[in-house]
Amino acid sequence: MSSCDLCVVRNRAICSSLDSKELEALNSIGRRRTLSAGDSLMWEGEDSVLVANVIEGVLKLSAGTEDGREQIVGVVYPSEFIGRPFGTTNGHGVTALTDARICVFNRRDFDAFAREHPKLEHKLLERTLGELDRTRRWMLLLGRKSASEKVASFLLEMAERLVEPGCHISLTPSVRTLTLPFSRQQIADVLGLTIETVSRQFTRLKDEGVIALPSRREVSILDPEGLAAEAG
Amino acid sequence: MSSCDLCVVRNRAICSSLDSKELEALNSIGRRRTLSAGDSLMWEGEDSVLVANVIEGVLKLSAGTEDGREQIVGVVYPSEFIGRPFGTTNGHGVTALTDARICVFNRRDFDAFAREHPKLEHKLLERTLGELDRTRRWMLLLGRKSASEKVASFLLEMAERLVEPGCHISLTPSVRTLTLPFSRQQIADVLGLTIETVSRQFTRLKDEGVIALPSRREVSILDPEGLAAEAG
DNA sequence: CGATGGTTTGAGATATATCAAACCTCGTGG
DNA sequence: CCACGAGGTTTGATATATCTCAAACCATCG
């Protein structure tokens, strides 16, 4: 029995395109790995040596300027795919935001396997197309939205995305409390703002009664409609 | 003889993955179409009914807010692919910036064809992965760069991208003159700035002797190093 | 030549960044 | 168990880049 049979993302990751025999073959070229919050898996501009599936945890994709400014260009959740197949260099760094478990492959091995398994490539294509759409919509936020719209949009996105196994969320009728996998600085790096501006927007939303802040990493959405109205 | 044999992007578009017999089959489900500058091919949020290859011309992908703010989220050049295969809705609008010629397919027909031709899907996957990398790097510009860095980066990107058949460019040793397919407003929409800020940055670069502006749509890059230095 | 649409320039307003200090929270060691 | 220290966060005061509003300018086309 391959370890994939126990995998919690088995039916949601790109692996779901494979039958059990194929899955075993893929499993034989991959290996499990754990990451602690803060660990980097790859760096921007580095050779593309590995790719991976996320089993548990949340990771960030980031790009930076010479002088140290950073922008988080993507967030990866369980069952999603990491890395650059069929390419020589990584376009961005990959770092774990929470402790994480992933399933890693040597990139060349994965490329060869994928080329022989069109259904896997098809699944990967569908995901990549979806991710591209999502990324482009985020550009609207970065280029055109105000700080308050950015923060409200961010919280709504989190509320939507964190409802996944492997992420922590509890919801009672119309009150959702989320445990953010981001520090304030990281939220700023997602939204293209400074940490101070993010903080001020959080306290403003709290003062308006739209959200509550039980702890540093937790946010309760008290008024989803109000938040949506602020998101622009 | 299929009309593809004469196609100028035949060897660069995703079609290059097909042999002549397959190409003929693909050709039979597609048709040529011309667009005038300003024509829209699809709208944001609309059902995904068609996909296309660009033969000649430049098109923009754009997203907008309720209240009319717009962000250009992608620019498409000859040989590149447009539309959302394997999906139900278009994530963004597509509008011709210049007169253009494209090769259009009914999306469902294309989907079916692609599923039966793994090499085509592979090519499309490679392109989509590349486009996703490019798009993510652009997020760094939107989120973290100043107006002057944005404009300089934009001009360098144009200098790189417009060296394609179907686009107009002339270059003498170290002086490139480009004919931009964008109005000032459109440049602003690419960069997440206002038209006035873009205009001021252009005149500043001109005053510094980094560029010259022979006409509204033309830019000569006099000092590529200087421009690169401004791009951050 | 005069209208039209896009562009540039100017003056002023403002959202966000910057700089700086106070404030928590949590883990550590005395 | 409490004091302490460190890192992250919030709050405050000020600076500034960019936006906004407005007018002048300039090509293009009937």
Side-chain angles (χ1 to χ4, degrees):
Chain A
M1 187 181 93
S2 98
S3 58
C4 296
D5 294 328
L6 302 167
C7 181
V8 292
V9 298
R10 163 79 181 87
N11 296 311
R12 293 181 296 135
I14 54 172
C15 318
S16 64
S17 62
L18 303 174
D19 64 32
S20 58
K21 192 169 187 66
E22 294 166 326
L23 194 60
E24 196 168 336
L26 179 61
N27 185 48
S28 74
I29 62 168
R31 62 180 202 282
R32 300 300 174 92
R33 185 167 159 188
T34 63
L35 296 170
S36 300
D39 288 354
S40 284
L41 184 63
M42 37 186 115
W43 284 265
E44 186 181 353
E46 187 193 50
D47 282 357
S48 172
V49 296
L50 47 84
V51 299
N53 275 310
V54 178
I55 300 168
E56 187 179 15
V58 182
L59 297 88
K60 68 169 182 176
L61 311 180
S62 59
T65 58
E66 297 284 338
D67 60 330
R69 285 171 284 176
E70 179 171 336
Q71 176 67 42
I72 294 181
V73 299
V75 182
V76 188
Y77 299 88
S79 85
E80 298 185 342
F81 186 83
I82 294 174
R84 179 60 164 96
F86 314 116
T88 58
T89 56
N90 296 317
H92 39 257
V94 178
T95 306
L97 293 174
T98 64
D99 293 347
R101 283 190 306 129
I102 61 178
C103 186
V104 212
F105 304 90
N106 172 287
R107 193 212 100 219
R108 290 174 179 284
D109 293 347
F110 179 87
D111 284 2
F113 184 91
R115 276 184 192 276
E116 288 167 9
H117 296 82
K119 282 181 300 187
L120 181 68
E121 283 209 340
H122 178 80
K123 199 85 181 175
L124 189 54
L125 175 57
E126 288 204 351
R127 296 217 159 208
T128 308
L129 287 165
E131 192 56 35
L132 183 54
D133 277 353
R134 179 184 288 278
T135 301
R136 283 178 168 151
R137 302 225 90 251
W138 203 252
M139 293 174 82
L140 174 63
L141 174 142
L142 288 177
R144 292 300 186 198
K145 290 195 177 179
S146 68
S148 49
E149 290 172 322
K150 283 179 175 181
V151 171
S153 302
F154 170 80
L155 289 174
L156 289 171
E157 167 98 354
M158 283 299 106
E160 196 180 309
R161 296 282 239 141
L162 291 179
V163 190
E164 303 269 336
C167 302
H168 320 288
I169 188 169
S170 66
L171 59 160
T172 68
S174 92
V175 180
R176 301 154 173 273
T177 296
L178 349 169
T179 301
L180 301 176
F182 299 95
S183 69
R184 291 288 186 271
Q185 181 60 61
Q186 287 163 344
I187 296 172
D189 290 339
V190 171
L191 299 177
L193 296 170
T194 58
I195 184 174
E196 295 94 331
T197 299
V198 171
S199 180
R200 281 185 243 273
Q201 293 301 329
F202 269 88
T203 60
R204 191 183 54 74
L205 288 171
K206 188 185 68 180
D207 293 347
E208 288 176 356
V210 176
I211 62 171
L213 299 168
S215 76
R216 287 184 171 180
R217 292 279 184 143
E218 288 177 307
V219 181
S220 298
I221 298 178
L222 307 178
D223 178 6
E225 285 78 22
L227 201 55
E230 295 244 21
Chain B
M1 187 179 95
S2 98
S3 59
C4 296
D5 293 328
L6 303 167
C7 181
V8 292
V9 299
R10 163 81 181 83
N11 296 311
R12 293 181 297 134
I14 54 172
C15 318
S16 65
S17 62
L18 303 174
D19 65 32
S20 57
K21 193 169 186 67
E22 294 167 326
L23 194 60
E24 197 170 335
L26 180 60
N27 185 49
S28 74
I29 62 168
R31 62 180 202 282
R32 301 299 174 91
R33 184 166 161 190
T34 64
L35 297 170
S36 299
D39 288 354
S40 284
L41 184 63
M42 36 187 115
W43 284 265
E44 187 181 352
E46 188 193 50
D47 282 357
S48 174
V49 295
L50 46 86
V51 299
N53 275 309
V54 178
I55 300 168
E56 187 179 15
V58 182
L59 298 89
K60 69 170 182 176
L61 311 181
S62 58
T65 57
E66 296 284 337
D67 59 332
R69 285 170 285 175
E70 179 172 334
Q71 176 67 42
I72 294 181
V73 299
V75 182
V76 187
Y77 299 88
S79 85
E80 297 185 344
F81 186 83
I82 294 173
R84 180 59 163 96
F86 313 116
T88 57
T89 55
N90 296 316
H92 38 258
V94 178
T95 306
L97 292 173
T98 65
D99 292 348
R101 283 190 305 130
I102 61 178
C103 185
V104 211
F105 305 89
N106 172 287
R107 192 212 100 220
R108 289 173 180 284
D109 293 347
F110 179 88
D111 284 1
F113 184 91
R115 276 184 192 274
E116 287 166 10
H117 296 83
K119 282 181 301 186
L120 181 70
E121 283 209 341
H122 178 79
K123 198 84 180 177
L124 189 55
L125 174 57
E126 287 205 351
R127 297 220 159 205
T128 308
L129 287 164
E131 192 56 34
L132 183 55
D133 277 354
R134 179 184 289 279
T135 301
R136 282 178 169 152
R137 302 224 90 252
W138 202 252
M139 293 174 82
L140 174 62
L141 175 142
L142 288 177
R144 291 302 187 196
K145 290 194 178 180
S146 68
S148 50
E149 290 173 321
K150 283 179 174 180
V151 171
S153 302
F154 170 80
L155 289 173
L156 289 171
E157 166 99 354
M158 284 298 106
E160 195 180 308
R161 296 282 238 139
L162 292 178
V163 191
E164 302 269 337
C167 303
H168 321 288
I169 187 170
S170 66
L171 58 160
T172 68
S174 94
V175 181
R176 300 154 173 272
T177 296
L178 349 169
T179 301
L180 302 176
F182 299 94
S183 69
R184 291 288 185 273
Q185 181 59 60
Q186 286 162 344
I187 296 172
D189 290 339
V190 171
L191 299 176
L193 296 171
T194 59
I195 185 174
E196 295 95 330
T197 299
V198 171
S199 181
R200 282 185 243 272
Q201 293 301 328
F202 269 88
T203 60
R204 192 181 55 74
L205 288 170
K206 188 185 67 180
D207 293 347
E208 289 175 355
V210 177
I211 62 170
L213 299 168
S215 76
R216 286 184 170 179
R217 290 281 185 142
E218 288 177 308
V219 181
S220 299
I221 298 177
L222 306 177
D223 178 5
E225 284 78 22
L227 201 56
E230 296 244 22

